[in-house]
Amino acid sequence: MAPPPQFQRSSSPSPSQPSGKSEISDLKLQLRQLAGSRAPGADDAKRELFKKVISHMTVGVDVSSLFSEMVMCSATSDIVLKKMCYLYVGNYAKGNPDLALLTINFLQRDCRDEDPMIRGLALRSLCSLRVTNLVEYLVGPLGSGLKDPNAYVRTVAAMGVLKLYHISASACVDADFPSMLKRLMLNDPDSQVVANCLSSLQEIWSAEANTSEEAAREREALLSKPLVYHLLNRIKEFNEWAQCLILDLISNYIPSDNDEIFDIMNLLEDRLQHANGAVVLGTIKVFLHLTLSMADVHQQVYERIKAPLLTLMSSGSPEQSYAVLSHLHLLVMRAPVLFSSDYKHFYCQYSEPSYVKKLKLEMLTAIANESNTFEIVTELCEYAANVDVSIAREAIRAVGKIALQQFDVNAIVDRLLQFLEMEKDYVTAETLVLVKDLLRKYPQWSHDCIAVVGNISSKNVQEPKAKSALIWMLGEYSQDMPEAPYILENLVDNWDDEHSSEVRLHLLTAVMKCFFKRPPETQNALGAALAAGLADFRQDVHDRALFYYRLLQYDESTAERVVNPPKQAVSVFADTQSSELKDRIFDEFNSLSVIYQKPSYMFTGKEHRGLTDISEELGNLSVEAHPAAEALPAQIYEANDVDLLLSTSEKEEVRGPVNNSSAYRAPDYDSTTAALVSSQVPLEADLSIPGLPAYNPQVSSAIDDLLGLGLSVAPTPAPPPLALNPKAALDPGSFQRKWSQLAISSSQEFCIEPRAVVALATPQTLLRHMQGHHIQCIASGGQPPSFKFFFYAQRAGQPPSFFLVECLVNSSSARAQVKIKADDGAAAGDFSALFQAALSKFGE
Amino acid sequence: MPVAASAIYFLNLRGDVLINRLYRDDVGGNMVDAFRMHIMQTKELGTCPVRQIGGCSFFYMRISNVYLVIVVSSNANVACAFKFVVEAVALFKSYFGGQFDEDSIRNNFVLIYELLDEIMDFGYPQNLSPEILKLYITQEGVRSPFSSKPTDKPVPNATLQVTGAVGWRREGLVYKKNEVFLDIVESVNLLMSSKGSVLRCDVTGKILMKCFLSGMPDLKLGLNDKVGLEKESQLKSRPAKSGKTIELDDVTFHQCVNLTRFNSEKTVSFVPPDGEFELMKYRITEGVNLPFRVLPTIKELGRTRMEVNVKVKSVFGAKMFALGVVVKVPVPKQTAKTSFQVTSGRAKYNAALNCIVWKIRKFPGQTESTMSAEVELISTMAEKKSSTKPPIQMEFQVPMFTASGLRVRFLKVWEKSGYNTVEWVRYITKAGSYEIRC
């Protein structure tokens, strides 16, 4: 199926071949002979000739030289001939405006023909000529076309207006066509005419709205109650495509009260049973958007749309399933419980294309919970042996992701270790990366994992990511692996064979860590590694080596604290999109945004974006969209790379100087952090920038932007007066100060109980509830479905230390996002558990 | 904005444009080159049906040896675009006599242009209903010589108006003999684990109809589905008859079905289009009767020999039989020699598919059949045997059997002239994706 190196450019008219030339002059001659002929059978002969001409045209032979003959021959009443002639003219008019002028005459005449079909065809051809200097000839026929007694002609005319608008906007507006379309849309008995008017008006007014206020008003008027009701009541008369158009319009309509919402939903309920999946999806969009403000109804909608969505996914072509699955994925991110009992629907079939399988794997990952994890992981393990390597990799990653979601970790670790025993390069590679991430989150498993990992020969691991993971583990757990220093030494000896700078960086760090644990055994390797690193031509590697070298020179124990500090287990990996981005995509449900997983402004528009760096774009975007003052975190999202959990010894090093501020100079810190950070983007969001006294806020925000993290700097402005618990008191000013100084010590996202969602109808109850748990609220705000609260609490006893909490609650997806900052980072974990427990009791 | 397609291209497998239609000027003419360069010539092909190149998005689908590509520059409705392509292909097929490939496209340029102009205007889908298009299309499809001759072409007559209320049916149809054909076609999907437990199993069914009825008939269809039966007994205030009732997970209907009435009375009533159409589709996950049980045993005898035993049992009624049964048993790539014994049908080793294909033309109900094969492998350098084992796949058709148990209880035809109709009802169950892991 490999295409040949050079394609024939058959699409564009190419100079005709010499052999074709004689054929064309032949055709020309024959057409001339037939042009005036009234003989019986002449029309049939002409038809054959016309067909030949059009075949030539299609395969790319330039037959434009026949223009005048074709036009002459088309002076006929035979509709078949006319159609072919229109086709021919439409193809060549744009390139030959002078010739096009020749055709105006007969097209205009045909627009007045008594047969409505000819009128319609002629009008369509006339509008499709796309020649600017012929615009004046269009206005007349279009005007009469809009008033034509025949619906077919009006349908064509309604679209013709839009075509005219694209050729010459001013001519279209000057002729007052938009208002004619509007009248037609409201009064025409034919549904297709109405639909075409609507499409045209939507486009025209959207384009005009930028320059004209009136057009902007008119565009708003398309969403006015009378029009929406007019269309809704007739929706069954429209064909399926027009229904999609109308449903899309209605999804933007804002009803005035709840009764209206229910009326619309009742009216559209049966659309969910329509055979056309596009209509079903359109209806689902309307339902979801209408009920956004009503959490409980929104949940019911999810239940209602489940069955139709599953049907859509399993019927139709793989391409359609793909489109539906993308939407399912979006929905399941908002409401993970939705499909958790239907997980079997997402089992892959052997013959399905990989793009469907990939999405199904993502679905399985997203819906895994306590009750179904075992079955899902069992199924995923089947795929790890799949023929398609990329699917096998995805499956392994999915297993790892589920493990990180905290369900049934025990069993999953066993399975991951079994993967390592399969002894397939790609399986081993993927698994190593996962085991590394697992260990960062669940250090308690180190014993089991290390035993298995220790048996893997580094020679069998080639992929940089996997190799880095292996090296990281060697460094991190060198005390448990007797062979670690020698394996590392061996790797250092082969420094030049290793071409990835990622691996070299990891190797440097691992050797350092190993050195602190087992100095005599590692000393040689360390020396060799530092020497190799200093000689490295890669700036990152060189700088890192130099940095370590100087650290060691300065003070060995400081160096250890920097390179190998005691670590906290990672609670949440930053592999999620910002909630704002997600909401925007949800707003554009049933469109390409969902497929690309980014809002439309990022991929439409004039400037032609390259295919490549999506992540780069996103990175820039998050800097633009979230100035440092904004409290929302913007996290880097990378569309295709599921595995965002980056290799990360840097992180720990950055985190190193916690509790260690005095021995450390801020300028050093700044420059090294910046260097390290620049070496590897993206980093994780749980990266904790230590609260150094000499910490410079400007630097911090610069780093934030660099990372695309936008660590919260200021809470919501003007906090309301606070009710203080005698046990803890903090004024808004100090809160604000503390908030901007401290780093996030814990960040979590979890589900909240449905009853809590119900109770959130009055957010004040949450404040009182938390007060009961000695957690004070300092500021709160937000509109349903998303609320934001800032809490604080103070530890009783000595030394007094504050905990600050930012809590985002989304009542429609029933999720809460909690970020905790603490004076004493070590206690943050306990406090987080306390806070979560308090929140989970809410609504009881 | 539902689709607003800027252009539609038909490409062959080499990437040559067979035919194209540019609806809008907002994409450059070189878009198809971009598609060839970034998708067709790379490994991208087939990895994702939606791709963004430059400022444009490409939706593509392969149908036999043709790529159908839609180019859009806006944030289009993907589901709508794919549905449009699927419907358009079905339409082309109906004109080309069931064929849709490079040859049939090359033979029908003018017709395709005509159709493309009618079904989409300036990128917006218009009308794809064959019944209405008959009024506007002048060309006759060139059919392959093997397909049946088309019926008489109706005289194009645009003045014949189709009313909005029944857009799918023309007035004034007359048939000498009024007949209705109804087929329930089910495809049963199964995924069975190597331990013999059912991992996943469901039925997707559709009801296909062919109507040759005069005038404007009203049809009413009754099935033995649970909701419908309960509603009926409720209305007639008598207890539901005992017997098997079927729970439909989800149903979708052709646009001709009166959905308001379906939701209130739970009966399927409709004014059918003329000729062939798909009345409804449904999905069932509970209480599926699997027509076949497959029991594989695979033994490895040393490094170069394998023994494969597959037993297939038919578990439908003894009076029925399955047709065209095919069992594909995967064997390793390095298979050198195979020998078989089968109790019925014929088995063959297919090296291209890496499997043993066992075909049984007619498989009676309540019987079983076995195949035992011995496979010799080339000894390879690789120490590990490949652990990728594709599942056993099965194909079959069982006439007069429905895996869901769905039955037509009645099909009533009512027309104001009161003619008599002949109704024909058939059932058939096919294998969808019937996979048994081993």
Side-chain angles (χ1 to χ4, degrees):
Chain A
M1 210 163 58
Q6 198 151 24
F7 288 110
Q8 288 179 326
R9 292 182 49 93
S10 47
S11 58
S12 54
S14 57
S16 50
Q17 308 300 313
S19 62
K21 213 169 210 166
S22 64
E23 207 176 329
I24 288 172
S25 48
D26 211 36
L27 277 172
K28 197 169 197 164
L29 206 70
Q30 292 183 35
L31 280 170
R32 270 208 192 129
Q33 283 168 355
L34 282 171
S37 162
R38 291 264 178 271
D43 275 353
D44 283 341
K46 277 190 207 165
R47 281 188 192 186
E48 283 312 307
L49 279 178
F50 272 36
K51 265 193 187 173
K52 260 188 208 160
V53 172
I54 285 178
S55 299
H56 280 308
M57 179 183 98
T58 307
V59 295
V61 179
D62 185 4
V63 283
S64 59
S65 55
L66 301 176
F67 207 97
S68 48
E69 283 78 14
M70 289 292 283
V71 174
M72 268 199 285
C73 278
S74 59
T76 165
S77 55
D78 185 37
I79 190 160
V80 182
L81 276 179
K82 268 195 195 300
K83 259 192 150 172
M84 284 194 271
C85 186
Y86 295 153
L87 195 62
Y88 173 85
V89 169
N91 201 48
Y92 286 112
K94 196 160 192 258
N96 309 286
D98 300 338
L99 288 175
L101 201 60
L102 285 176
T103 62
I104 289 288
N105 217 347
F106 86 85
L107 282 175
Q108 274 190 324
R109 197 176 57 236
D110 282 352
C111 284
R112 295 188 296 271
D113 198 281
E114 59 181 19
D115 185 346
M117 189 156 156
I118 293 185
R119 289 203 299 272
L121 288 170
L123 187 57
R124 186 193 293 146
S125 307
L126 198 58
C127 296
S128 304
L129 290 180
R130 294 184 263 200
V131 181
T132 321
N133 57 4
L134 298 183
V135 165
E136 49 183 312
Y137 302 102
L138 281 182
V139 177
L142 263 181
S144 42
L146 287 173
K147 294 189 201 95
D148 200 280
N150 186 282
Y152 180 71
V153 184
R154 292 198 303 276
T155 324
V156 171
M159 244 348 147
V161 171
L162 182 59
K163 291 177 192 165
L164 172 64
Y165 180 81
H166 279 273
I167 305 168
S168 162
S170 58
C172 180
V173 177
D174 291 346
D176 205 23
F177 281 138
S179 53
M180 282 171 83
L181 282 183
K182 193 179 168 191
R183 270 199 301 283
L184 211 54
M185 176 171 68
L186 294 173
N187 302 317
D188 204 280
D190 187 275
S191 58
Q192 193 60 43
V193 177
V194 176
N196 283 3
C197 288
L198 179 62
S199 326
S200 298
L201 284 178
Q202 273 185 320
E203 254 192 67
I204 293 175
W205 277 330
S206 299
E208 285 286 299
N210 298 328
T211 52
S212 142
E213 263 183 49
E214 196 201 330
R217 267 201 308 282
E218 290 287 5
R219 187 176 59 167
E220 291 307 309
L222 285 177
L223 284 169
S224 66
K225 192 166 171 175
L227 178 61
V228 166
Y229 276 52
H230 174 70
L231 294 171
L232 265 177
N233 288 326
R234 291 180 63 185
I235 195 161
K236 283 168 200 162
E237 296 167 21
F238 289 89
N239 73 30
E240 44 201 329
W241 316 105
Q243 288 188 12
C244 294
L245 186 78
I246 293 169
L247 288 168
D248 198 56
L249 178 82
I250 294 171
S251 68
N252 294 319
Y253 172 68
I254 301 158
S256 53
D257 56 29
N258 285 359
D259 290 345
E260 219 184 324
I261 294 176
F262 289 119
D263 283 347
I264 294 176
M265 296 210 319
N266 285 330
L267 199 68
L268 293 178
E269 165 108 39
D270 57 17
R271 294 297 100 192
L272 289 174
Q273 256 130 16
H274 199 284
N276 187 324
V279 174
V280 178
L281 267 182
T283 313
I284 287 174
K285 180 178 183 182
V286 173
F287 278 33
L288 288 173
H289 282 193
L290 283 182
T291 57
L292 265 182
S293 57
M294 300 186 284
D296 44 340
V297 186
H298 200 64
Q299 283 302 319
Q300 287 172 18
V301 167
Y302 279 133
E303 286 300 319
R304 175 66 186 86
I305 62 179
K306 206 161 85 171
L309 279 170
L310 288 174
T311 308
L312 276 184
M313 181 192 76
S314 55
S315 59
S317 67
E319 288 84 359
Q320 287 168 289
S321 305
Y322 173 77
V324 175
L325 270 166
S326 304
H327 286 86
L328 280 174
H329 191 245
L330 178 73
L331 290 180
V332 92
M333 290 317 226
R334 295 174 68 89
V337 278
L338 184 57
F339 291 104
S340 55
S341 54
D342 301 289
Y343 59 93
K344 286 188 176 172
H345 286 279
F346 304 107
Y347 284 4
C348 299
Q349 283 162 22
Y350 183 70
S351 46
E352 276 170 336
S354 58
Y355 52 83
V356 171
K357 283 184 182 161
K358 225 167 146 178
L359 277 176
K360 283 190 167 178
L361 290 180
E362 281 180 29
M363 285 299 289
L364 285 173
T365 319
I367 60 182
N369 64 12
E370 293 90 337
S371 57
N372 57 23
T373 292
F374 181 77
E375 282 84 7
I376 289 180
V377 172
T378 310
E379 182 68 15
L380 286 172
C381 291
E382 289 278 342
Y383 307 145
N386 199 293
V387 196
D388 185 343
V389 174
S390 71
I391 292 300
R393 281 173 183 272
E394 292 284 345
I396 297 168
R397 274 180 224 162
V399 173
K401 268 190 158 181
I402 293 174
L404 293 177
Q405 285 167 2
Q406 299 183 320
F407 302 116
D408 198 13
V409 185
N410 194 348
I412 297 176
V413 170
D414 282 349
R415 305 223 197 179
L416 280 177
L417 297 180
Q418 278 167 19
F419 285 153
L420 289 178
E421 284 158 11
M422 276 169 66
E423 292 191 25
K424 282 192 169 189
D425 287 352
Y426 60 89
V427 175
T428 311
E430 282 303 330
T431 314
L432 277 175
V433 177
L434 283 175
V435 169
K436 176 211 57 180
D437 289 330
L438 269 178
L439 287 179
R440 289 171 56 212
K441 186 158 179 179
Y442 310 107
Q444 65 268 34
W445 292 106
S446 63
H447 212 74
D448 303 79
C449 297
I450 290 314
V452 182
V453 171
N455 291 332
I456 296 170
S457 160
S458 59
K459 290 192 187 65
N460 293 342
V461 183
Q462 287 311 322
E463 288 169 43
K465 260 194 170 173
K467 205 159 190 173
S468 309
L470 181 64
I471 292 172
W472 181 85
M473 285 187 271
L474 285 168
E476 189 66 30
Y477 298 97
S478 45
Q479 72 277 17
D480 303 327
M481 284 194 264
E483 294 294 310
Y486 309 104
I487 301 175
L488 287 172
E489 187 166 2
N490 191 18
L491 284 165
V492 172
D493 287 345
N494 296 319
W495 181 273
D496 291 331
D497 299 340
E498 193 47 67
H499 300 289
S500 152
S501 55
E502 185 187 352
V503 176
R504 288 187 182 183
L505 287 170
H506 273 279
L507 194 52
L508 277 173
T509 310
V511 175
M512 282 285 277
K513 285 181 187 166
C514 190
F515 172 72
F516 295 125
K517 290 167 186 160
R518 301 161 73 173
E521 290 163 288
T522 325
Q523 203 168 359
N524 277 338
L526 180 64
L530 287 177
L534 284 170
D536 203 287
F537 66 93
R538 267 172 271 220
Q539 196 68 45
D540 290 348
V541 181
H542 171 83
D543 288 357
R544 171 93 52 106
L546 190 64
F547 169 57
Y548 284 164
Y549 178 69
R550 294 207 174 135
L551 257 181
L552 288 169
Q553 256 184 338
Y554 176 78
D555 177 20
E556 217 175 280
S557 64
T558 309
E560 178 166 12
R561 281 207 296 275
V562 171
V563 179
N564 197 25
K567 270 181 272 296
Q568 262 182 27
V570 177
S571 54
V572 172
F573 287 101
D575 56 349
T576 44
Q577 279 164 291
S578 84
S579 51
E580 196 199 350
L581 213 56
K582 275 185 192 162
D583 285 346
R584 296 218 38 177
I585 295 172
F586 184 71
D587 285 342
E588 296 175 340
F589 193 82
N590 200 14
S591 74
L592 273 172
S593 313
V594 180
I595 306 279
Y596 295 148
Q597 300 191 3
K598 46 182 173 172
S600 62
Y601 67 85
M602 293 169 69
F603 61 88
T604 55
K606 290 273 186 291
E607 70 276 30
H608 282 207
R609 286 158 190 274
L611 319 167
T612 45
D613 266 325
I614 298 166
S615 55
E616 194 181 57
E617 263 177 39
L618 279 160
N620 295 340
L621 171 96
S622 52
V623 174
E624 287 157 18
H626 307 279
E630 210 169 318
L632 267 179
Q635 290 157 334
I636 286 183
Y637 175 73
E638 208 178 321
N640 295 321
D641 194 353
V642 190
D643 182 15
L644 276 184
L645 321 172
L646 240 246
S647 50
T648 53
S649 44
E650 286 86 348
K651 182 206 75 189
E652 282 110 31
E653 284 141 25
V654 175
R655 198 194 266 160
V658 183
N659 311 328
N660 177 30
S661 40
S662 58
Y664 212 66
R665 305 303 319 156
D668 277 356
Y669 166 73
D670 290 339
S671 58
T672 50
T673 312
L676 292 179
V677 164
S678 65
S679 72
Q680 287 213 315
V681 179
L683 279 168
E684 313 164 60
D686 65 325
L687 170 73
S688 34
I689 310 279
L692 290 172
Y695 192 72
N696 180 345
Q698 273 175 339
V699 173
S700 125
S701 60
I703 292 169
D704 295 346
D705 279 1
L706 200 58
L707 300 177
L709 290 177
L711 289 183
S712 330
V713 173
T716 47
L722 37 141
L724 290 179
N725 187 312
K727 280 184 186 162
L730 192 66
D731 65 277
S734 346
F735 182 93
Q736 206 154 339
R737 205 161 47 246
K738 270 185 185 295
W739 186 259
S740 53
Q741 280 170 357
L742 292 172
I744 295 176
S745 6
S746 150
S747 156
Q748 272 181 327
E749 191 171 341
F750 48 85
C751 289
I752 49 176
E753 303 283 326
R755 58 182 152 74
V757 173
V758 177
L760 258 181
T762 47
Q764 264 61 37
T765 54
L766 177 66
L767 308 188
R768 278 197 294 279
H769 170 82
M770 297 308 274
Q771 233 169 51
H773 291 84
H774 308 306
I775 298 167
Q776 312 291 332
C777 178
I778 196 158
S780 69
Q783 289 288 318
S786 54
F787 302 94
K788 186 179 206 172
F789 303 94
F790 284 95
F791 294 106
Y792 69 92
Q794 190 180 25
R795 185 163 71 184
Q798 290 302 317
S801 106
F802 277 102
F803 301 100
L804 311 182
V805 185
E806 181 202 69
C807 176
L808 294 170
V809 179
N810 189 314
S811 58
S812 68
S813 63
R815 292 190 79 79
Q817 246 181 328
V818 175
K819 289 206 186 67
I820 296 173
K821 300 189 176 187
D823 284 338
D824 176 6
D830 296 339
F831 177 73
S832 162
L834 193 80
F835 184 85
Q836 206 170 327
L839 194 62
S840 69
K841 291 199 186 88
F842 177 53
E844 264 174 13
Chain B
M1 201 178 295
V3 174
S6 300
I8 182 164
Y9 290 96
F10 295 70
L11 306 176
N12 68 10
L13 296 184
R14 289 204 316 157
D16 300 336
V17 178
L18 299 172
I19 187 168
N20 70 328
R21 198 89 189 109
L22 299 170
Y23 288 109
R24 288 168 169 249
D25 285 335
D26 54 357
V27 296
N30 58 353
M31 281 333 284
V32 69
D33 297 331
F35 178 77
R36 279 192 291 240
M37 218 161 76
H38 291 294
I39 298 176
M40 291 197 81
Q41 293 178 357
T42 61
K43 284 181 187 163
E44 288 287 326
L45 192 66
T47 56
C48 181
V50 184
R51 267 305 302 272
Q52 188 192 3
I53 302 172
C56 298
S57 294
F58 291 78
F59 305 101
Y60 67 96
M61 247 175 154
R62 184 181 163 171
I63 292 120
S64 73
N65 55 3
V66 177
Y67 281 103
L68 249 161
V69 186
I70 284 191
V71 189
V72 298
S73 63
S74 56
N75 187 16
N77 179 337
V78 192
C80 194
F82 279 126
K83 181 73 183 167
F84 176 81
V85 175
V86 170
E87 295 274 299
V89 170
L91 184 70
F92 291 138
K93 277 187 179 164
S94 75
Y95 273 94
F96 304 162
Q99 294 273 328
F100 183 83
D101 50 26
E102 194 175 340
D103 286 338
S104 57
I105 289 175
R106 285 194 190 281
N107 290 331
N108 288 292
F109 284 146
V110 182
L111 173 62
I112 295 175
Y113 280 130
E114 262 201 281
L115 283 170
L116 285 178
D117 275 347
E118 291 296 339
I119 61 179
M120 193 170 249
D121 199 0
F122 209 52
Y124 290 102
Q126 299 289 305
N127 208 326
L128 271 77
S129 147
E131 198 48 31
I132 292 176
L133 282 171
K134 270 183 200 163
L135 305 176
Y136 298 114
I137 300 302
T138 57
Q139 297 286 331
E140 207 177 310
V142 177
R143 292 161 185 251
S144 68
F146 307 107
S147 62
S148 57
K149 192 82 186 117
T151 47
D152 287 346
K153 189 178 69 167
V155 185
N157 179 3
T159 47
L160 194 101
Q161 257 308 304
V162 177
T163 58
V166 194
W168 52 86
R169 191 177 176 91
R170 280 185 293 160
E171 303 247 15
L173 289 166
V174 181
Y175 285 96
K176 244 185 227 160
K177 193 175 172 192
N178 290 295
E179 281 181 301
V180 191
F181 298 86
L182 186 147
D183 286 345
I184 295 193
V185 182
E186 295 197 334
S187 71
V188 47
N189 301 309
L190 170 75
L191 180 60
M192 194 174 261
S193 78
S194 50
K195 296 186 181 74
S197 60
V198 175
L199 291 174
R200 198 202 130 170
C201 148
D202 58 58
V203 169
T204 52
K206 49 189 173 186
I207 299 187
L208 302 175
M209 291 196 74
K210 223 186 259 182
C211 289
F212 303 113
L213 296 169
S214 316
M216 277 286 175
D218 250 318
L219 272 71
K220 208 168 151 184
L221 172 71
L223 301 166
N224 62 339
D225 67 301
K226 199 171 164 195
V227 188
L229 283 176
E230 275 168 9
K231 191 78 191 178
E232 193 183 82
S233 60
Q234 209 182 76
L235 287 175
K236 294 182 181 164
S237 62
R238 63 178 153 87
K241 272 180 235 145
S242 57
K244 198 175 175 190
T245 58
I246 310 299
E247 202 163 341
L248 302 174
D249 282 22
D250 187 46
V251 202
T252 58
F253 294 104
H254 186 270
Q255 55 169 338
C256 70
V257 176
N258 184 335
L259 293 171
T260 327
R261 233 162 118 188
F262 174 76
N263 283 327
S264 59
E265 296 165 32
K266 300 291 168 202
T267 54
V268 184
S269 49
F270 54 100
V271 178
D274 193 37
E276 238 176 300
F277 68 102
E278 189 181 286
L279 178 69
M280 63 183 263
K281 267 202 285 237
Y282 56 89
R283 188 167 54 81
I284 292 171
T285 42
E286 296 298 320
V288 177
N289 309 313
L290 294 173
F292 286 100
R293 294 245 163 226
V294 182
L295 308 162
T297 44
I298 296 176
K299 264 188 251 163
E300 297 190 18
L301 313 165
R303 275 175 53 185
T304 57
R305 245 154 49 83
M306 268 170 76
E307 213 178 77
V308 180
N309 267 294
V310 180
K311 189 193 278 180
V312 179
K313 271 189 194 172
S314 57
V315 281
F316 44 87
K319 285 181 189 158
M320 292 186 270
F321 51 84
L323 297 173
V325 178
V326 179
V327 187
K328 289 184 192 156
V329 185
V331 289
K333 270 203 186 91
Q334 61 269 30
T335 297
K337 221 176 102 187
T338 50
S339 55
F340 322 93
Q341 277 184 325
V342 286
T343 55
S344 59
R346 285 177 64 189
K348 243 191 206 166
Y349 168 59
N350 185 328
L353 297 174
N354 284 318
C355 56
I356 301 171
V357 181
W358 175 25
K359 290 184 182 170
I360 305 158
R361 201 167 292 157
K362 195 167 167 179
F363 201 126
Q366 301 297 340
T367 57
E368 62 177 61
S369 193
T370 51
M371 175 196 70
S372 41
E374 215 164 274
V375 182
E376 278 180 44
L377 307 175
I378 306 165
S379 59
T380 51
M381 293 299 288
E383 285 175 31
K384 283 273 160 185
K385 61 173 174 40
S386 87
S387 54
T388 58
K389 268 189 270 174
I392 294 179
Q393 290 177 301
M394 231 186 132
E395 294 165 23
F396 53 78
Q397 293 188 356
V398 192
M400 301 322 287
F401 172 81
T402 51
S404 63
L406 196 73
R407 283 277 179 274
V408 172
R409 289 189 301 127
F410 58 82
L411 176 62
K412 288 177 192 156
V413 181
W414 186 88
E415 216 274 338
K416 54 181 184 280
S417 62
Y419 54 71
N420 286 323
T421 48
V422 189
E423 294 112 25
W424 305 88
V425 178
R426 285 189 301 187
Y427 303 94
I428 191 163
T429 294
K430 295 179 185 171
S433 132
Y434 209 81
E435 298 175 350
I436 297 99
R437 291 187 181 147
C438 47

